[in-house]
Amino acid sequence: MLSRLSSKPGRAAVLFMAVALAAVPTRAQQPATGVPAEDGVADEGTVPKRGRITPFNGAIVPEGAAPQQKPETGAAKKAKAGDGSTPSEGVNVFDRMGAQLPALPAEKPFTGKVDDAYGAFQRGYYLTAMDLALPRAQLGDPAAQTLVASILEQGLGVARNAKEAAFWYGQAANNGDPAAMFKYALILMEGRYVKRDRKKSEELMKKAADLGNASAQFNYGQTLVADMPGEKGLKAAMPYYEKSAEQGIADAQYALSQIYINVDGIEENKRARAREWLLRAARAGFDTAQLDIAIWFVEGIAGDRNLEEGFAWMKRAAEGGNVVAQNRLSHLYVNAIGTRPDPVEAAKWYVLSRRAGLKDDALEDFYLGLNETQQKSALAAANKFRSS
């Protein structure tokens, strides 16, 4: 709960020592003073062993014991430090940093067709993008039709026109663009700018999902669950959730975690990944996933208990505005689960959840048991949090 001060030197200190040592020339230790043994051999008990000093081992030759050197020849005069012919003076850290890196592999030339309209759109030149895309859209280019629809739908550089956008999404969907199929399926389901057609909507959603559109994969899974309530629908939707989750859709990752842990007959290797998928959804900012992963850590669901980790996720979800997480966080503070007890913080989060309409008799009793100073501090903290 409380961080411990490390007895090890910090990274900055270690780096400083490494730089300092690297910059100092390498020197052999001087032998300790000892009594020579017979035959000129040093007594091993009093004098440490040392290797024979040569120009090649990087040691500094002791005074008065310079090694014999042959007269320099023409080739020897050209020898440079570092080629093994002269004593090393150590390698400076800056010399190591300046070493030449291997050459990068040759970059493969782009052979695809450059889309100037999308390039302009990505740089924020929406009118240019529209000018470039519209003639292509009118000639039946599905990618250009989707781009025109997106610009019109969002009103980027032009007046927003949802009905015209729906027309172009429909054209692009009919011409096989998966992203347009997904968007037009939603439009058909809503029936706001075109005639409502549930059957065609589901057909387009499935087609877009089968072509790899991640959002369509999740939404088609949702359709299957709605059409077949219970485990049958969940198992039918699972393959689509899995594909969508792999592509980073947080909603699908959350749904997958719930199926893996709650539905009977799930393979054990998949069930073991339930917490992994829930964590990925939580890290993506999905507040319900953050609330659930906090509970899983605290209660040891689908893995080991980790009270500190559970508290951290609960606090993150509460700070993001999840009312249930605010209520649960108050309980964690009251009961010192994953943190130290803090009555003012506990009361602050209870006040916030109560204001949002979540009643809790146990926390109300706790709050009424605080003294006046603590209650005022909690109210001030709650007001400050809301204003921020």
Side-chain angles (χ1 to χ4, degrees):
M1 288 179 282
L2 296 177
S3 59
R4 299 180 180 177
L5 295 175
S6 173
S7 60
K8 297 182 181 180
R11 292 178 63 187
V14 172
L15 179 59
F16 176 80
M17 289 188 285
V19 172
L21 290 173
V24 177
T26 307
R27 297 180 181 271
Q29 292 182 341
Q30 297 297 327
T33 305
V35 180
E38 294 181 0
D39 299 328
V41 179
D43 182 357
E44 293 184 2
T46 57
V47 180
K49 292 183 180 180
R50 64 183 296 175
R52 182 171 62 88
I53 298 174
T54 72
F56 308 101
N57 67 1
I60 300 300
V61 182
E63 294 182 5
Q68 294 181 353
Q69 296 181 354
K70 294 181 181 180
E72 289 183 346
T73 64
K77 289 179 181 179
K78 296 181 180 179
K80 297 180 180 179
D83 65 0
S85 62
T86 59
S88 169
E89 294 183 354
V91 181
N92 189 286
V93 67
F94 299 108
D95 295 332
R96 292 200 300 272
M97 290 173 63
Q100 187 174 1
L101 296 174
L104 292 172
E107 186 174 343
K108 295 181 179 179
F110 176 71
T111 57
K113 184 179 179 180
V114 176
D115 193 323
D116 294 331
Y118 269 95
F121 180 84
Q122 290 171 340
R123 294 193 301 274
Y125 301 139
Y126 303 121
L127 286 176
T128 301
M130 176 65 91
D131 289 341
L132 292 170
L134 187 57
R136 289 168 43 197
Q138 291 168 337
L139 292 173
D141 185 329
Q145 290 169 339
T146 301
L147 181 58
V148 169
S150 181
I151 292 173
L152 290 168
E153 180 188 27
Q154 300 175 69
L156 300 173
V158 298
R160 182 175 295 174
N161 191 328
K163 187 174 183 178
E164 191 73 10
F167 167 79
W168 285 113
Y169 276 132
Q171 294 296 306
N174 291 335
N175 287 323
D177 186 78
M181 289 178 189
F182 166 66
K183 295 290 291 188
Y184 197 58
L186 295 178
I187 293 170
L188 286 170
M189 182 64 71
E190 185 180 25
R192 190 171 179 183
Y193 300 105
V194 297
K195 185 179 179 181
R196 191 172 188 273
D197 191 333
R198 178 183 174 87
K199 183 180 179 181
K200 186 175 180 181
S201 171
E202 291 186 7
E203 289 174 354
L204 269 180
M205 191 70 75
K206 183 180 187 304
K207 191 172 182 180
D210 291 338
L211 287 171
N213 184 278
S215 297
Q217 288 164 346
F218 170 72
N219 279 272
Y220 185 65
Q222 294 287 81
T223 299
L224 291 173
V225 172
D227 291 343
M228 295 180 285
E231 291 192 357
K232 183 179 179 181
L234 291 170
K235 288 182 177 179
M238 190 170 70
Y240 288 97
Y241 286 147
E242 288 172 336
K243 293 174 184 177
S244 181
E246 290 288 357
Q247 295 194 70
I249 302 297
D251 300 74
Q253 293 166 348
Y254 178 79
L256 209 54
S257 71
Q258 303 305 307
I259 293 174
Y260 281 177
I261 200 66
N262 293 307
V263 176
D264 293 332
I266 299 296
E267 298 172 19
E268 286 304 315
N269 63 326
K270 289 187 175 183
R271 198 180 297 279
R273 296 190 65 194
R275 184 180 281 192
E276 173 195 336
W277 284 118
L278 188 57
L279 267 172
R280 288 176 67 172
R283 288 169 181 154
F286 192 1
D287 66 322
T288 303
Q290 293 169 351
L291 168 65
D292 279 16
I293 196 62
I295 296 171
W296 284 24
F297 273 124
V298 170
E299 298 184 3
I301 298 172
D304 296 332
R305 297 182 74 188
N306 188 325
L307 301 182
E308 289 78 11
E309 192 77 7
F311 171 81
W313 277 112
M314 193 70 77
K315 191 169 187 289
R316 183 170 173 179
E319 290 174 342
N322 187 291
V323 177
V324 176
Q326 292 171 348
N327 174 274
R328 296 294 182 92
L329 185 61
S330 179
H331 281 284
L332 295 183
Y333 273 118
V334 169
N335 295 287
I337 298 174
T339 185
R340 283 188 170 183
D342 190 330
V344 173
E345 274 294 295
K348 161 193 161 182
W349 290 110
Y350 167 60
V351 168
L352 288 167
S353 65
R354 184 181 63 183
R355 286 175 178 173
L358 186 57
K359 297 181 179 180
D360 189 314
D361 292 339
L363 287 178
E364 181 67 19
D365 289 342
F366 158 77
Y367 179 77
L368 294 175
L370 299 177
N371 60 46
E372 185 178 354
T373 301
Q374 290 173 321
Q375 289 183 1
K376 286 183 177 180
S377 297
L379 288 171
N383 292 335
K384 183 177 180 181
F385 176 81
R386 289 191 65 182
S387 63
S388 62

